[in-house]
Amino acid sequence: MLPRILTIDELQARYRDGSLTPLQLVDEILRRITAGTDPAVWISRVPDAALRDAAQDLMRGAAPGADQPLWGIPFAVKDNIDCAGLDTTAACPAFAYRPPDDAAVVARLRAAGALLIGKTNLDQFATGLNGTRSPYGAPRSVFDARYISGGSSSGSAVAVASGQVCFSLGTDTAGSGRVPAAFNNLIGIKPTRGLLPTHGVVPACRSLDCVTVFAACTADADRVRRIAQGDDARDPYARTAPQQRLPTSGFRFAILKPSEREFFADAQSAQRYADAIARLTALGGMAVEFDYRPFRDAAALLYAGGFVAERLEPLRAFVEQHADTMDPVVRGIIGGAQGVSAAELFADFNALAALRRQAEKAWADFDLMLLPTAPTLYSVEQMQADPIRLNSRLGLYTNFVNLLDYCALAVPAGFRDDGLPFGVSLIAPAFHDDALAALGERLHRATQCGLGVDRSAAIAEPSAPIAVPADERIVIAVVGAHLSGMPLNRELTEPGGSLLRRARTAAHYRFYVLPDTTPKKPGLVQAPGFDGPGIDVELWSLPAAAFGRFVSRIPSPLGIGKLRLEDGSEVSGFLCEAHAVSGAQEITALGGWRAYIAGIQT
């Protein structure tokens, strides 16, 4: 029996222990899709027979390994992103075409073993933040079908939040990878512009567009983002740079002044924002009120001025010939750009440059922002009655992010008394994506608001790394008395070490109890050709200077060498000289030091 919400670690654990196969998972997903109550989630799907064939192809190939970190993991793709074998419609049937190849990000995920289920609904041409502007219907919030799912990546969010796929791809120009996350209790990663290439994506505003990731937990979303990212010569806006760090404690986070907290009379959402501020403070942050005006003014430029002309540029011929096939609201927005002059556009470029300078000064006072993802949540009926004004409200705290070249992470922040979700966004300058993921995971865990539609689901400890950039820190694997809660763990925590994740070694290691050691210590020895259960380890991150001091105190016969983990990666960790375990008690079958200690204490 699979959990209601699918996560990567859960599925991979089932694959490893033999209780699940990709084919069985496909059958369960098809059952869930058939039983689903929201018919507007999917625009097209991989045919059932072809999906089963793809699952069987995986099973006939190599077992899950480091070369396919997403082996058998089901995902969905917003239907403005190309997937070979399926039409790309951008939610406009008259625009549809059959691409010969996958978009760059889709190709990378499929190469990693991920299993494409189909293409999801969206606000037409990715124009909207509400999810109601599609001839394929309006996907609804998984918590109340009367309410919008958020857009434009509406179907992508609902597919994850309802448990039909493990993760999905969306896009984000104004907030489309964040607002749907907030309205469906999901994580939404809006990466640094260009970090995920947009080759094979129907442009909204080409210079601002981002491919985004939805998942139920930060570990999954972050893992997918890392696999999909990277330069692509076919995308002129693709770029790479070293990831930047944020303080792990004592960080300063910007919050709205009370006078600038606009929730449009939604007191419940206002209170959830205050709760999130308190929660992030408890995690070691210091709240700093700031002047939101330059950011708000930048946000207003995205639709109110010349920048909307960029939406028209790739669609000009289509709009001229097929305007009558478009959603009326979308047609009005994109078609309205036909009257924008080059002079108006350059005036807005200059206005944005001035606002960017003001924003840069503000960042001297804080390290990141904590903002509401959206100020409130509307019903489908309300949105359809007032589509422009209410949609504009939804972008109040998101529209500026791409214009000012920031990255963002949408994180669930609890539920209102009416059972509807609320979300916040962590925002930082470009190339702080790793750091936001590490902090976002802590914030999500502290909020304890479940996963997607399952409000009672626990957030499991991630097996995949969610780590701050390692330019000034070194990762070490520990196996014994340095584990969390063990006698020597203080040697890691006191110099500023932080636990990244728990893992397991590859099978070719034996594990022993070293004689005459106080406190008791184990010895991990490489045994080429041995096929054991693997040994539990913890991966810790230490400041580089502290790592040197730590290693210098390690007594013989222990030392630091390269350990291979079961996922195929290598990390520095404790190893023992083989001669020292001659005659020692072997405890390999126990699978780890905790199991041994538990046994001798009972």
Side-chain angles (χ1 to χ4, degrees):
M1 182 69 178
L2 287 172
R4 192 174 186 185
I5 300 301
L6 304 176
T7 60
I8 294 175
D9 280 351
E10 174 72 20
L11 294 180
Q12 290 184 335
R14 298 288 184 94
Y15 287 150
R16 284 194 300 269
D17 67 20
S19 64
L20 181 70
T21 68
L23 184 58
Q24 290 170 329
L25 177 65
V26 163
D27 287 338
E28 172 61 16
I29 288 173
L30 293 177
R31 186 197 66 77
R32 292 185 179 193
I33 291 173
T34 300
T37 58
D38 192 337
V41 175
W42 300 92
I43 289 180
S44 64
R45 288 196 296 106
V46 176
D48 293 358
L51 194 52
R52 291 188 172 99
D53 287 345
Q56 289 175 325
D57 286 344
L58 284 173
M59 294 162 62
R60 283 191 288 264
D67 59 331
Q68 287 197 309
L70 296 176
W71 190 91
I73 302 301
F75 76 110
V77 174
K78 184 177 181 178
D79 198 16
N80 63 338
I81 302 174
D82 287 348
C83 297
L86 295 173
D87 286 351
T88 300
T89 73
C92 182
F95 177 79
Y97 63 91
R98 180 64 61 95
D101 301 301
D102 288 330
V105 288
V106 174
R108 290 171 183 177
L109 296 172
R110 290 220 231 195
L115 197 58
L116 176 66
I117 304 301
K119 308 289 289 294
T120 51
N121 205 353
L122 65 151
D123 280 322
Q124 192 174 83
F125 293 115
T127 302
L129 289 174
N130 61 83
T132 69
R133 300 171 178 175
S134 169
Y136 299 98
R140 312 301 176 99
S141 169
V142 294
F143 296 99
D144 190 328
R146 296 172 298 176
Y147 286 83
I148 61 174
S149 61
S152 60
S153 310
S154 51
S156 289
V158 175
V160 175
S162 61
Q164 296 180 34
V165 293
C166 193
F167 71 90
S168 65
L169 297 182
T171 60
D172 187 308
T173 303
S176 299
R178 291 164 279 162
V179 171
F183 291 172
N184 292 279
N185 197 36
L186 295 176
I187 295 293
I189 288 182
K190 200 299 297 179
T192 297
R193 277 182 1 218
L195 191 63
L196 273 66
T198 57
H199 172 75
V201 178
V202 177
C205 294
R206 192 185 299 270
S207 67
L208 302 177
D209 293 341
C210 297
V211 175
T212 65
V213 182
F214 295 102
C217 62
T218 319
D220 285 3
D222 184 61
R223 190 183 313 191
V224 171
R225 187 264 300 174
R226 290 174 188 247
I227 292 169
Q229 71 185 24
D231 195 17
D232 189 311
R234 298 167 297 180
D235 177 9
Y237 289 101
R239 56 184 180 156
T240 59
Q243 286 285 319
Q244 304 298 308
R245 299 186 62 200
L246 289 171
T248 55
S249 63
F251 54 87
R252 304 163 301 164
F253 63 97
I255 62 171
L256 298 166
K257 298 176 182 177
S259 61
E260 293 178 324
R261 296 182 189 182
E262 177 59 82
F263 292 94
F264 302 102
D266 185 344
Q268 287 288 315
S269 291
Q271 182 57 54
R272 295 294 84 80
Y273 178 56
D275 294 342
I277 293 171
R279 204 170 287 122
L280 196 55
T281 301
L283 290 175
M286 180 175 66
V288 178
E289 292 184 355
F290 77 118
D291 180 7
Y292 187 57
R293 182 188 54 79
F295 303 92
R296 183 187 65 237
D297 291 350
L301 289 173
L302 191 59
Y303 283 103
F307 284 98
V308 75
E310 192 172 11
R311 290 187 178 268
L312 176 64
E313 182 267 328
L315 297 172
R316 182 183 296 275
F318 181 83
V319 172
E320 291 174 350
Q321 298 172 23
H322 303 285
D324 59 330
T325 69
M326 298 174 64
D327 176 272
V329 177
V330 174
R331 181 175 64 238
I333 294 169
I334 296 177
Q338 291 174 316
V340 175
S341 69
E344 290 174 292
L345 178 58
F346 275 103
D348 282 350
F349 273 136
N350 292 332
L352 180 62
L355 292 169
R356 185 178 291 116
R357 293 298 297 269
Q358 295 177 43
E360 288 170 354
K361 292 179 182 178
W363 281 96
D365 297 326
F366 48 83
D367 303 301
L368 70 151
M369 294 178 175
L370 177 71
L371 296 182
T373 299
T376 189
L377 174 60
Y378 294 109
S379 70
V380 172
E381 183 179 4
Q382 287 174 311
M383 183 59 62
Q384 291 177 335
D386 194 357
I388 300 296
R389 187 170 67 100
L390 298 192
N391 188 87
S392 179
R393 288 180 175 182
L394 296 180
L396 178 61
Y397 302 120
T398 59
N399 284 1
F400 70 90
V401 174
N402 281 332
L403 284 169
L404 295 178
D405 197 14
Y406 303 150
C407 56
L409 179 72
V411 183
F415 288 83
R416 301 156 13 144
D417 292 347
D418 58 8
L420 294 172
F422 177 76
V424 293
S425 289
L426 302 176
I427 301 167
F431 298 107
H432 283 79
D433 308 81
D434 290 2
L436 286 189
L439 183 57
E441 199 276 338
R442 294 171 61 199
L443 181 59
H444 189 201
R445 189 176 299 280
T447 306
Q448 297 182 336
C449 56
L451 304 172
V453 73
D454 189 351
R455 293 182 56 173
S456 64
I459 304 173
E461 289 285 344
S463 66
I466 302 181
V468 296
D471 55 326
E472 298 179 22
R473 299 177 73 87
I474 297 175
V475 176
I476 183 172
V478 298
V479 296
H482 288 95
L483 295 167
S484 302
M486 295 291 177
L488 299 183
N489 184 246
R490 66 182 185 280
E491 294 183 1
L492 297 172
T493 58
E494 288 177 356
S498 58
L499 175 63
L500 299 179
R501 63 180 174 113
R502 295 177 175 85
R504 180 175 284 268
T505 70
H508 59 277
Y509 291 91
R510 291 184 181 273
F511 204 41
Y512 299 86
V513 180
L514 296 179
D516 304 321
T517 53
T518 304
K520 285 183 176 293
K521 297 182 181 69
L524 184 69
V525 178
Q526 292 191 50
F530 177 68
D531 187 17
I535 305 302
D536 290 334
V537 300
E538 287 182 353
L539 303 187
W540 284 76
S541 170
L542 278 174
F547 178 83
R549 292 191 297 270
F550 176 78
V551 171
S552 70
R553 295 196 295 266
I554 296 174
S556 179
L558 300 176
I560 298 296
K562 285 294 184 184
L563 299 185
R564 183 172 293 277
L565 303 181
E566 66 176 353
D567 64 6
S569 62
E570 285 191 342
V571 65
S572 298
F574 276 87
L575 286 172
C576 181
E577 297 174 20
H579 71 83
V581 299
S582 178
Q585 177 187 1
E586 183 172 0
I587 57 171
T588 304
L590 295 178
W593 191 242
R594 290 189 190 279
Y596 168 74
I597 294 296
I600 66 175
Q601 290 177 343
T602 57

